[in-house]
Amino acid sequence: MSHHFAGAGDVGVPLKSTGSMRPIITELDNNKRGSIRTDVADLVMVKYKCSSNGVPITQTNGSTLPLVPGSSKDAEFGGYNPFDHRTVQYPTTDMETFIHLLKGSLGSGILAMPLAFMNAGLIFGLIATATIGFVCTYCVHILVKSSHKLCRRMQVPALGFADVAEVAFLAGPPAFQKFSGLFRGLVNTFLTIDLLGCCCVYIVFVAKNIKQVMDEYVLDINVRWYMLMMLPLVIAMNLIRNLKYLAPLSMVANFLVGTCMTITFWYVFQDLPPMKSAPFITDWHKWPLFFGTAIFALEGIGVVMPLENNMKTPQHFIGCPSVLNIGMAIVVLLYSTVGMFGFLKYGDKTEGSITLNLPKDELLAQSVKVMIAVAIFLTYSLQFYVPFEIIWKGSKHRFTSHPVLFEYLLRVLLVVGTVLVAIACPNLGPVISLVGALCLSFLGLILPSCIDLVTCWEEPGLGRGYWRLWKNMVIIMFGILGLVTGVYSSMLDIIVTFNQ
């Protein structure tokens, strides 16, 4: 799922120094052991303490922070517009953002949707995919709205994903403030696990597609040997440190994916069985696997904040109509189409990737497997970039003597680790479900609801009948249910595969 490579939200957007403001750099202070305080966090805490003690912010003494005049409430309601203060070197238009959103949400996950429908059924799969797509889109809405509110309160132009989580709790009621560092850490941890998990899935995906072609034309060997043979190439590709040099690989990968999907649709729609040949709904114990796979495919929460922060007109990202709503509607439609017709075509023989169901004795079908394998292989380094940056920023202060050497060593160790995990569990379906259920349930459903709840706790409040509380609790419980059942079912499948 190439849907995650942009944006861990670790680095804030610098503010121009204009006398009343100073640069805001939201990064871990690596010189202080165990410190998770950031400049934004300090700003939030000082402003909170001043307002809670009735001290005007402009008269605060003893602070080394040159604070922005005016109360956070005034700033939120018209006193400060963060969009006017954003200094983006190359801002993206609405159309460019729309294309990036599709690119971030459409990836290898779409090829797993027929498997998801096999665990749900045709009709239930359609309804559940639309429901999950709606809930995921709504959670993006409340996350971005919370970001806008916090930017106005704190008078900063933009916040990354981890920044939003930390600042929301720091600026919230006193009982929640002690959890700010925990939630920032959770965002970075789950983003890292999610993206490294995607890297493991990519290794499995490439090896299985190459194996099918090699079995037909050369020789039949265990899929794990292909993963080992890929290791030197993957290591070499991920020694490239500059993201700029990886961009051409992304362009080639996008072209190959588009070509492969066109050919795959051509095969799927040939001699399509009647609707009644596939079950409309499956046994309930299979639903957790559907949930894990579907949310893995649909959830692109990691790309949201970077896209919105870099827009020329960020107010067009959410709303009705908006870049987000139109983009997600297209994504849900495409995923539902591939899932329904792919399962209808191949039924109980549906594989973890629909490309594995294509004919083994036709050259065109085999070329699809090779092209998609090359495309996903080239995408690995882009997927690997963000989790490595998160890990390296948190650990580079320990390697001051030879930082470049240790950076390369860490890159090699992480790549080897993803390949070893892939070798240990080469069954694609349960791995996708595990990653989706574990990480994306938290990042895409649970966390945005928590942020919305804390941000709105005091202003504008929980609403009549505490509707905002109950609404967020329903989403949180939905996310927890999906997380627990999805992880449990996926682990059982992985254990069975490992024993075999």
Side-chain angles (χ1 to χ4, degrees):
M1 171 165 274
S2 54
H3 58 294
H4 300 85
F5 102 81
D10 275 17
V11 182
V13 179
L15 205 71
K16 278 199 295 190
S17 183
T18 59
S20 62
M21 302 182 187
R22 68 177 182 137
I24 302 293
I25 304 175
T26 58
E27 217 173 13
L28 290 177
D29 185 355
N30 295 321
N31 295 321
K32 300 178 183 178
R33 289 181 176 271
S35 174
I36 54 170
R37 310 310 301 163
T38 65
D39 287 347
V40 168
D42 291 337
L43 178 59
V44 173
M45 288 305 295
V46 171
K47 295 184 76 171
Y48 174 79
K49 289 176 181 177
C50 292
S51 59
S52 62
N53 290 298
V55 181
I57 291 176
T58 52
Q59 298 176 13
T60 304
N61 294 321
S63 172
T64 58
L65 293 170
L67 298 175
V68 182
S71 70
S72 60
K73 188 172 181 180
D74 290 340
E76 183 178 353
F77 295 100
Y80 177 84
N81 186 355
F83 307 144
D84 294 337
H85 296 271
R86 290 187 181 179
T87 54
V88 181
Q89 188 174 6
Y90 301 107
T92 56
T93 64
D94 290 357
M95 180 56 67
E96 289 169 339
T97 304
F98 173 75
I99 293 171
H100 287 317
L101 180 65
L102 291 182
K103 180 184 175 184
S105 301
L106 291 173
S108 61
I110 193 172
L111 302 174
M113 284 307 294
L115 178 69
F117 272 65
M118 188 179 74
N119 291 314
L122 286 180
I123 303 303
F124 181 71
L126 280 174
I127 297 172
T129 300
T131 302
I132 292 174
F134 174 80
V135 174
C136 289
T137 304
Y138 177 74
C139 288
V140 172
H141 269 272
I142 60 177
L143 176 66
V144 175
K145 284 183 179 179
S146 297
S147 172
H148 292 169
K149 289 179 181 178
L150 293 169
C151 284
R152 290 187 176 96
R153 290 179 190 177
M154 300 306 113
Q155 302 191 25
V156 292
L159 294 168
F161 195 179
D163 299 329
V164 172
E166 182 180 28
V167 171
F169 281 83
L170 280 171
F176 297 139
Q177 292 172 12
K178 59 185 176 183
F179 299 111
S180 60
L182 171 65
F183 274 83
R184 182 185 184 90
L186 285 174
V187 170
N188 285 332
T189 300
F190 277 99
L191 273 173
T192 302
I193 294 173
D194 171 37
L195 295 170
L196 288 179
C198 288
C199 290
C200 298
V201 170
Y202 284 4
I203 295 294
V204 175
F205 183 91
V206 173
K208 283 200 168 187
N209 279 274
I210 294 297
K211 172 180 166 56
Q212 277 204 354
V213 178
M214 296 297 287
D215 288 353
E216 185 68 23
Y217 297 105
V218 187
L219 74 164
D220 183 1
I221 61 175
N222 192 291
V223 69
R224 292 179 170 91
W225 287 109
Y226 289 106
M227 298 182 193
L228 279 176
M229 287 186 280
M230 286 165 53
L231 183 58
L233 294 175
V234 180
I235 290 175
M237 184 171 60
N238 285 279
L239 293 180
I240 301 174
R241 301 166 64 197
N242 195 328
L243 193 60
K244 176 182 177 181
Y245 299 123
L246 297 176
L249 301 182
S250 179
M251 293 177 62
V252 174
N254 288 338
F255 173 77
L256 291 175
V257 168
T259 304
C260 292
M261 289 307 302
T262 303
I263 299 173
T264 301
F265 272 120
W266 185 77
Y267 275 104
V268 166
F269 286 107
Q270 280 188 341
D271 302 322
L272 200 63
M275 290 283 289
K276 61 183 180 181
S277 63
F280 286 0
I281 187 169
T282 60
D283 295 335
W284 64 269
H285 65 271
K286 293 183 178 181
W287 295 354
L289 287 174
F290 165 82
F291 177 86
T293 305
I295 198 170
F296 174 90
L298 285 166
E299 186 57 76
I301 195 76
V303 306
V304 168
M305 295 313 302
L307 288 180
E308 190 272 342
N309 287 342
N310 284 280
M311 285 185 70
K312 182 183 296 183
T313 53
Q315 57 270 31
H316 293 171
F317 189 75
I318 57 174
C320 188
S322 64
V323 172
L324 176 66
N325 288 348
I326 296 172
M328 286 304 296
I330 293 174
V331 167
V332 171
L333 179 63
L334 287 173
Y335 275 57
S336 299
T337 302
V338 173
M340 183 178 72
F341 290 108
F343 173 51
L344 184 62
K345 173 73 173 179
Y346 299 110
D348 293 337
K349 297 179 180 179
T350 301
E351 297 278 358
S353 167
I354 193 174
T355 57
L356 299 177
N357 284 110
L358 299 181
K360 298 178 181 180
D361 56 350
E362 295 185 22
L363 191 60
L364 182 62
Q366 297 292 59
S367 70
V368 169
K369 297 170 187 176
V370 174
M371 285 190 291
I372 200 69
V374 172
I376 298 302
F377 177 80
L378 295 178
T379 308
Y380 179 102
S381 55
L382 294 170
Q383 196 81 350
F384 180 80
Y385 186 86
V386 170
F388 175 79
E389 286 296 306
I390 294 174
I391 295 171
W392 180 241
K393 285 177 182 176
S395 58
K396 63 182 178 182
H397 64 284
R398 303 178 186 274
F399 310 107
T400 54
S401 55
H402 300 90
V404 176
L405 174 63
F406 282 109
E407 180 183 347
Y408 281 124
L409 181 61
L410 181 60
R411 285 178 177 272
V412 172
L413 289 176
L414 286 176
V415 169
V416 171
T418 61
V419 174
L420 290 179
V421 171
I423 290 173
C425 185
N427 188 355
L428 199 61
V431 174
I432 291 176
S433 293
L434 178 63
V435 172
L438 177 64
C439 300
L440 296 175
S441 294
F442 176 78
L443 292 174
L445 301 175
I446 299 172
L447 184 63
S449 298
C450 292
I451 290 173
D452 179 60
L453 203 55
V454 174
T455 302
C456 300
W457 191 273
E458 294 178 337
E459 184 63 51
L462 300 180
R464 184 187 297 272
Y466 301 105
W467 69 268
R468 186 172 277 110
L469 173 64
W470 301 121
K471 175 259 299 183
N472 283 308
M473 289 304 298
V474 168
I475 297 175
I476 290 170
M477 293 306 298
F478 178 68
I480 292 174
L481 178 65
L483 188 152
V484 173
T485 57
V487 168
Y488 178 74
S489 301
S490 302
M491 288 303 298
L492 287 180
D493 276 13
I494 289 174
I495 290 170
V496 170
T497 303
F498 186 78
N499 289 335
Q500 291 175 348

